[in-house]
Amino acid sequence: ETQLVESGGGLVQPGGSLRLSCAEPGFGFTDYVIGWFRQAPGKKREGLSCISRSDGSTYYVDSVKGRFTISRDDAKNTVYLTMNNLKPEDTAVYYCAAGSIYTDYEKLIPSEYEFWGPGTQVTVSS
């Protein structure tokens, strides 16, 4: 069952930017987090960033710090991932997922997140 929906992917040149959106299902409570992950062909799913819907805390893996920014618009029930200075190695399917704040969600381990969107393709190429 699809719990969230990603959008905003596409083709971008190296050095360019994209903003991905994650439409939340609306749980009726705020004790959860939204994480962004990606998976390139033949590679393991990789955690990138997350934001707590409870207190707004954010976390990033080192590979995207300074380039990617996670944010939220509570009125739109949407979480964004703004990606700057994109590189060819950023090419992947990008997923958003929801997990409980009562887990070690900041470690961005995919198995700790319960609900997933279908993904959106990001291709960085000249």
Side-chain angles (χ1 to χ4, degrees):
E1 179 183 1
T2 300
Q3 299 295 320
L4 307 95
V5 179
E6 306 91 343
S7 62
L11 176 64
V12 63
Q13 295 182 19
S17 299
L18 283 175
R19 188 181 74 171
L20 305 181
S21 299
C22 174
E24 303 173 16
F27 295 112
F29 52 89
T30 60
D31 58 341
Y32 66 95
V33 298
I34 299 293
W36 282 99
F37 301 79
R38 68 186 180 191
Q39 188 166 20
K43 298 190 68 176
K44 190 177 179 66
R45 190 163 296 188
E46 174 190 15
L48 303 174
S49 181
C50 63
I51 185 167
S52 171
R53 294 284 286 107
S54 179
D55 63 11
S57 300
T58 60
Y59 301 88
Y60 300 88
V61 297
D62 289 342
S63 62
V64 304
K65 284 182 179 178
R67 295 195 299 130
F68 293 7
T69 302
I70 194 168
S71 60
R72 70 185 192 188
D73 186 331
D74 291 344
K76 296 181 178 179
N77 292 117
T78 301
V79 173
Y80 303 100
L81 184 68
T82 302
M83 306 184 295
N84 297 316
N85 192 26
L86 285 162
K87 306 172 182 180
E89 54 262 42
D90 294 318
T91 296
V93 176
Y94 283 69
Y95 301 89
C96 65
S100 172
I101 63 170
Y102 305 111
T103 69
D104 291 335
Y105 60 86
E106 71 277 5
K107 296 185 183 296
L108 288 160
I109 301 171
S111 62
E112 295 297 313
Y113 286 73
E114 184 175 2
F115 304 106
W116 292 80
T120 185
Q121 177 71 46
V122 172
T123 302
V124 184
S125 176
S126 60

